[in-house]
């Protein structure tokens, strides 16, 4: 009996030559993730089911949705989320099909109990009557199963900004599975002060074994996830013999003397694997104990500038090598950036950059050999900041901005090359917020949007080329510009738009005023399913459309998050989320906030808005994934994609569902029969399911 082949004809779109795309990220930098299948109730009788398209999937990957083991929908191509009939008693699975062959089937998942995932955490006990609250978070796959675990930093009620005196309770970091199971707890002890600028915890697979580790600054008295002092994991005898009962706090609650360490923790157990000296110490020395130096060194003598820390993950040697952790000390004046590698057993010094003043840098190589360079210019042509000295932000970003395959570190108003040398200095000085992305898709490469706390410009903001530091345009303000946001939130204008504090207006990326109001300055998020970004401020997601703001909910029912689990933001007036990231489900991002209901529950919100678009998980975009890693640092900033999503959707989507044609042809039909199908001429007769391409069209055989 003749076999029948079912043919679907799709219109193909053209590719814009300059458009960056998800496939620009090397496969070696894509974590091995599962399909991230989730389901949750929406309206009566319906479930929203969502899963991942991976960056490693080919263009013709399709899916089949199973409900209770039976096929509910086949040949799903255009998106990876559906609203379907379902109850809490149903189970769902996704079957992945590539070139007509089933390649994997997920485990069964049951719908969440509510429209968001509420996880009750193990809240640390009060210390001296002071409570703990969920604060900054990160994610990593600690056991290699393709699912992320959650890393939670608990913020004690008496945490302090560096500018303020007073003792704080210890910093506590937990790790949880997505079902709420606690894996471990690390207590950094009394000799690590609590606050936004002290503990930057980097979570990533640093040694390439498929399992994430955590690296952060520690001190005498810090305990790992097994209750052991981290000093016991040192190979340096001086560290091993340091007292773990010493209290290094002074009368103001500050820690201005004593040992400082860097520790790598096993992601699954929390066990300290290796501990080394933290470099540089507060006196600018290496591999030794120190006391805070005289005021002339940092321009203060109470630790405000010396204890301003940042951190990031960066592929400094290219995509085929393991990434490094880069630990940062100082940015108001002196700037130190220290690259460290982890080989699975020990941490190793890679290089250390020191911008010791406005005109001089020192670079220490892997053997601590020093090279000194002098600089006398910057790219803005103003002020005296010619190195990284004084040019740092309360945040940073990471990406390959010069196209050499290696990551650079965007410091704010300066940038560091992958080998630790100065890439450029813009020179506008210290700032509060930074955004690195393809802000202007009609220019090659990335751009940086930066706001200024220092009045070199004076104040205001600038957009500069991420590779060269060339200032593309700037705007001024009359006082400290504490916040600013760049995001593509207005579909009327190509590229990103931006706003910043002290100003009421909004601008296009080319500096054109587009509206006389400011829609928000905190975070951006992909939420409602179109190609534009939404705005997140405090506990509110809002949609900006032609100058008007509308408040958004989960995608059904009430248009507000406040109705779901009493959410709360973090970090006082900064009002940031615990985390935004594409944790599971389709390409829209998840939002994590803690709950006022009991102050020990976190709510994970996922969008239930429909979307027409098929986009690989954002976590397989390198720039975005590095942004999730550094998101918890100091004044949290949102991650950005390394490509311009509207261009990808419009020009690299590959196959569009517009103009679908169907035909049934007999396997024994002569070749001429194929030429009559809508006038499309194939180069050969199809013999099996798959995608067949002629010069202008793609024909899919089902």
């Amino acid at each position: 009996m003749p076999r029948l082949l079912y043919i679907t004809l799709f219109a193909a779109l053209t590719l814009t030559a300059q458009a960056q795309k998800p496939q620009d990220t090397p496969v070696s930098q894509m974590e091995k993730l599962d399909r991230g299948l989730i389901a949750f109730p929406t309206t009566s009788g319906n479930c929203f089911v969502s899963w991942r398209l991976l960056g490693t999937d080919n263009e013709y990957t399709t899916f089949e949705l199973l409900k209770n083991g039976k096929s509910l929908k086949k040949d799903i191509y255009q998106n990876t989320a559906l609203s379907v009939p379902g109850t809490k008693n149903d189970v769902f699975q996704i079957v992945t099909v590539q070139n007509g062959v089933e390649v994997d089937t997920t485990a069964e998942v049951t719908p969440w109990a509510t429209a968001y995932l509420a996880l009750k955490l193990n809240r640390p006990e009060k210390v001296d009557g002071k409570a703990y609250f969920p604060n900054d978070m990160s994610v990593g796959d600690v056991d290699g199963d393709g699912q992320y675990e959650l890393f939670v930093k608990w913020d004690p009620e008496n945490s302090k900004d560096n500018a303020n005196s007073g003792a704080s309770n210890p910093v506590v970091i937990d790790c949880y599975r997505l079902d709420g199971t606690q894996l471990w707890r690390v207590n950094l002890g009394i000799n690590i002060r609590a606050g936004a600028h002290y503990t930057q915890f980097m979570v990533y697979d640093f040694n390439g074994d498929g399992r994430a580790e955590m690296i952060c600054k520690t001190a005498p008295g810090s305990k790992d996830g097994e209750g052991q002092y981290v000093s016991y994991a040192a190979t340096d005898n001086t560290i091993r013999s340091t007292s773990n009962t010493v209290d290094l706090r002074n009368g103001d609650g500050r820690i201005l003397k004593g040992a400082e360490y860097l520790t790598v923790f096993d992601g699954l157990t929390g066990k300290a694997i290796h501990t080394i000296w933290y470099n540089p110490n507060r006196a600018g020395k290496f591999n030794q104990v120190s006391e805070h130096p005289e005021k002339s060194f940092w321009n203060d003598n109470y630790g405000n500038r010396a204890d301003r820390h940042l951190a990031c993950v960066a592929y400094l040697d290219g995509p085929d090598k393991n990434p490094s952790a880069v630990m940062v000390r100082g940015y108001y004046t002196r700037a130190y950036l220290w690259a460290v590698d982890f080989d699975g057993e020990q941490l190793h010094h890679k290089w250390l950059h020191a911008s010791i003043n406005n005109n001089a840098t020192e670079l220490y190589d892997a053997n601590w050999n020093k090279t000194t360079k002098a600089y006398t210019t910057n790219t803005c042509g103003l002020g005296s900041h010619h190195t990284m000295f004084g040019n740092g932000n309360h945040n940073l970003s990471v990406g390959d901005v010069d196209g050499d395959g290696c990551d650079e570190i965007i410091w704010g108003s300066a940038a560091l090359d992958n080998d630790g040398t100065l890439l450029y200095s813009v020179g506008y000085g210290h700032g509060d917020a930074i955004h690195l992305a393809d802000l202007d898709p009609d220019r090659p490469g990335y751009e940086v949007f930066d706001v200024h706390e220092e009045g070199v410009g004076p104040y205001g903001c600038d957009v500069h080329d991420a590779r060269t530091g060339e200032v593309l345009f700037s705007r001024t303000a009359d006082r400290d510009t504490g916040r600013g946001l760049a995001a593509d939130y207005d579909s009327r204008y190509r590229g990103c738009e931006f706003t910043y504090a002290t100003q009421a207006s909004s601008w296009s990326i080319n500096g054109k005023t587009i509206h006389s109001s400011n829609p928000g300055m905190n975070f951006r998020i992909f939420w409602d399913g179109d190609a534009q970004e939404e705005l997140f401020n405090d506990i509110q997601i809002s949609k900006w459309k032609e100058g008007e703001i509308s408040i958004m909910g989960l995608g059904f029912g009430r248009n507000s998050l406040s109705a779901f689990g009493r959410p709360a933001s973090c970090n006082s007036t900064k009002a940031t989320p615990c985390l935004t990231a594409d944790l599971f489900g389709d390409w829209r991002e998840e939002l994590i906030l803690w709950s006022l209901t009991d102050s020990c529950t976190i709510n994970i919100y996922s969008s239930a808005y429909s979307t027409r678009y098929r986009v690989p998980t954002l976590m397989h975009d390198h720039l975005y994934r590095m942004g999730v890693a550094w998101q918890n640092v100091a004044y949290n900033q949102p991650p950005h994609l390394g490509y311009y999503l509207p261009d990808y959707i419009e020009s690299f989507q590959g196959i569009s569902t517009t103009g679908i044609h169907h035909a049934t042809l007999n396997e024994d039909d002569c070749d001429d029969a194929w030429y009559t199908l809508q006038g499309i001429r194939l180069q050969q007769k199809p013999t099996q399911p798959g995608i067949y391409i002629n010069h202008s069209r793609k024909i899919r055989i089902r």
Side-chain angles (χ1 to χ4, degrees):
M1 182 176 179
R3 180 165 57 93
L4 297 182
L5 297 177
Y6 299 92
I7 300 177
T8 304
L9 174 65
F10 295 85
L13 300 173
T14 58
L15 178 64
T16 301
Q18 274 197 337
Q20 293 173 319
K21 50 195 181 295
Q23 287 81 354
D24 288 341
T25 296
V27 172
S28 58
Q29 291 180 340
M30 297 181 184
E31 293 165 293
K32 293 182 179 178
L33 300 175
D34 68 8
R35 291 292 163 188
L37 176 64
I38 59 169
F40 55 91
T42 55
T43 55
S44 179
N46 284 321
C47 281
F48 194 81
V49 184
S50 182
W51 63 95
R52 289 188 183 108
L53 177 74
L54 302 175
T56 53
D57 289 333
N58 65 44
E59 186 179 351
Y60 314 117
T61 299
T62 62
F63 301 97
E64 180 181 6
L65 175 61
L66 306 181
K67 174 182 170 182
N68 301 325
K70 297 181 179 180
S71 179
L72 189 62
K73 186 175 177 61
K74 291 184 177 181
D75 297 319
I76 304 169
Y77 179 85
Q78 190 62 17
N79 57 51
T80 52
L82 293 171
S83 181
V84 298
T87 70
K88 64 180 180 181
N89 298 318
D90 292 318
V91 294
F92 296 93
Q93 293 171 277
I94 280 291
V95 180
T96 304
V97 180
Q98 293 180 343
N99 299 322
V101 179
E102 296 181 5
V103 295
D104 64 62
T105 301
T106 68
E108 294 179 340
V109 301
T110 56
W112 298 343
T114 60
Y116 59 94
L117 182 59
L119 298 181
K120 190 163 186 176
L121 309 182
N122 177 21
R123 190 180 191 183
E125 295 292 331
K126 291 182 179 180
V127 177
D128 297 329
K130 302 296 183 182
Y132 281 86
F133 300 91
N135 192 247
D136 298 334
M137 295 178 59
S138 192
V139 293
D141 180 4
V142 304
D143 54 11
D145 66 352
Q147 297 182 12
Y148 287 119
E149 278 70 46
L150 306 175
F151 291 69
V152 183
K153 184 180 78 169
W154 290 92
D155 194 37
E157 197 173 357
N158 59 352
S159 64
K160 302 295 181 183
D161 185 88
N162 294 52
N164 300 322
S165 298
S168 73
N169 291 338
V171 176
V172 174
I173 302 176
D174 289 349
C175 183
Y176 296 89
R177 296 194 189 278
L178 286 173
D179 63 1
T181 301
Q182 183 179 5
L183 296 179
W184 48 259
R185 168 165 292 169
V186 164
N187 188 318
L188 297 183
I190 60 174
N191 294 316
I192 293 288
R193 206 172 186 225
H197 303 289
Y198 296 98
T199 296
Q200 323 302 346
F201 55 107
M202 292 297 100
V203 177
Y204 206 75
D205 177 11
F206 289 100
N207 65 327
D209 67 352
R211 299 168 57 245
E213 295 81 34
M214 181 180 76
I215 295 177
C216 70
K217 187 173 184 285
T218 57
S222 296
K223 288 186 177 181
D224 70 7
E226 297 184 347
Q228 299 296 311
Y229 290 117
V230 301
S231 61
Y232 296 168
T235 50
D236 184 292
N237 288 330
T238 303
I239 297 176
R240 290 181 61 86
S241 62
T242 300
S243 169
N244 282 297
T245 59
V246 62
D247 186 343
L248 299 170
R249 296 172 293 182
N250 67 11
D252 291 330
R254 298 179 181 276
I255 302 160
L256 303 180
K257 64 180 181 180
E260 301 173 277
Y261 308 143
L262 185 73
T263 300
V264 55
F265 298 88
D266 182 272
L268 183 60
T269 66
K271 176 183 174 63
I273 303 173
H274 193 218
T275 296
I276 61 175
W277 296 102
Y278 188 91
N279 288 309
N281 61 31
R282 57 183 63 88
K285 305 297 183 182
F286 312 127
N287 304 313
Q288 58 186 279
V289 179
S290 71
E291 293 191 9
H292 197 283
E294 296 297 319
K295 180 178 179 179
S296 59
F297 193 85
W298 289 103
N299 203 31
D300 72 50
N301 58 5
Y302 60 98
N304 183 23
R305 289 167 175 80
D307 274 333
R308 299 278 178 165
H309 297 276
L310 304 172
C312 61
V313 178
Y315 282 79
L316 300 174
D317 297 320
D320 296 325
K321 302 293 184 180
N322 290 332
S324 304
V326 181
M327 313 307 293
V328 176
R329 180 166 225 153
Y331 42 74
Y332 285 131
T333 54
R334 288 173 173 264
Y336 297 91
L337 293 89
W338 178 38
V340 179
D341 291 337
F342 175 58
D343 64 8
E345 296 181 354
Q346 294 188 5
L347 294 165
H348 299 278
H349 160 77
K350 186 180 189 71
W351 50 250
L352 188 147
H353 172 98
S355 282
I356 58 175
N357 59 47
N358 278 320
N359 301 301
T361 67
E362 297 174 345
L363 178 62
Y364 296 83
D365 67 14
N367 296 312
W368 293 103
N369 298 312
K370 182 174 72 172
T371 301
T372 302
K373 288 188 177 181
Y375 298 86
T376 58
T377 60
N378 59 37
T379 65
C380 79
L382 301 172
S384 60
H385 299 307
H386 301 143
T387 65
M388 304 192 89
F389 186 96
N391 268 324
N393 275 30
H394 288 296
N395 24 67
L396 44 60
S397 192
V398 171
D400 177 12
V401 302
D402 58 8
D404 64 355
C406 303
D407 283 333
E408 284 72 46
I409 300 164
I410 307 302
W411 182 240
S413 204
L416 199 69
D417 211 344
N418 64 289
D419 60 0
T421 60
L422 183 70
L423 187 63
Y424 58 78
S425 167
V426 180
Y428 281 122
H430 168 66
D432 272 13
I434 186 176
H435 300 270
L436 168 70
D438 190 10
L439 304 178
D440 184 349
D442 296 323
R443 291 188 75 259
Y446 297 136
E447 294 79 33
V448 178
F449 172 71
D450 191 18
V451 301
H452 308 138
E453 186 175 317
E454 189 172 343
V456 174
Y459 302 110
C461 69
D462 81 281
V463 173
H464 59 264
D465 185 286
R467 180 179 66 86
T468 66
E470 174 192 0
V471 178
L472 305 178
F473 70 83
S474 62
R475 302 192 68 90
T476 61
D478 59 3
R479 59 191 184 277
D480 175 354
T481 306
R483 298 185 201 177
L485 176 68
D488 182 26
Y489 52 80
D490 194 326
S491 62
R492 299 173 299 172
Y493 301 93
R494 183 161 167 77
C496 290
E497 296 75 45
F498 69 91
T499 64
Y500 63 99
T502 74
Q503 303 295 303
S505 299
S506 308
W507 293 270
S508 72
I509 198 59
N510 297 314
K512 176 184 177 182
T513 301
I514 62 174
H515 207 271
S516 59
S517 64
N518 186 330
M521 297 174 293
N522 279 2
F523 265 57
R524 47 134 310 275
I525 189 170
F526 286 116
W527 192 252
D528 72 350
D530 64 18
Q532 273 64 52
E533 294 161 287
E534 282 63 59
L535 304 168
F536 176 76
N537 293 281
D538 196 9
I539 61 168
Q540 180 173 290
I541 297 175
S542 57
K543 179 72 175 177
W544 173 270
K545 187 175 182 180
E546 297 182 357
E548 299 296 328
I549 282 286
S550 58
I551 307 304
M552 308 193 76
L554 298 181
F556 58 89
R558 291 161 288 188
N559 286 329
S560 173
L561 293 181
S562 60
F564 302 95
R566 300 187 65 206
S569 59
C570 299
N571 300 315
S572 186
T573 60
K574 301 303 177 187
T576 56
C578 295
L579 187 73
T580 60
D582 183 12
L583 299 179
F584 38 60
D586 70 11
W587 58 276
R588 270 84 60 80
E589 293 166 277
E590 277 63 52
L591 169 66
I592 305 182
L593 300 167
W594 62 281
S595 175
L596 290 169
T597 300
D598 57 10
S599 300
C600 66
T601 294
I602 58 169
N603 299 332
I604 307 180
Y605 300 96
S606 192
S607 173
Y609 285 89
S610 62
T611 178
R612 297 184 294 118
Y613 302 130
R614 167 188 174 98
V615 179
T617 175
L618 308 190
M619 298 294 262
H620 276 175
D621 176 72
H622 179 63
L623 190 78
Y624 183 90
R625 184 62 184 91
M626 294 297 94
V628 172
W630 54 245
Q631 188 181 151
N632 67 71
V633 168
Y635 291 173
N636 304 20
Q637 294 285 276
H640 286 273
L641 279 177
Y643 58 95
Y644 185 56
L645 185 63
D647 277 357
Y648 171 69
I649 285 174
E650 292 178 7
S651 64
F652 201 79
Q653 194 68 7
I655 299 174
S656 170
T657 55
T658 59
I660 298 178
H661 305 282
H662 298 274
T664 301
L665 292 179
N666 199 311
E667 182 184 47
D668 295 333
D669 284 341
C670 66
D671 289 349
D672 289 343
W674 296 96
Y675 303 156
T676 65
L677 178 63
Q678 299 295 324
I680 298 302
R681 185 180 183 88
L682 289 178
Q683 295 175 346
Q684 63 183 22
K685 178 181 176 180
T687 58
Q688 61 183 358
I691 301 293
Y692 294 81
I693 304 173
N694 72 353
H695 295 299
S696 61
R697 301 292 178 92
K698 298 176 183 177
I699 297 175
R700 178 164 166 239
I701 311 299
R702 295 190 298 172

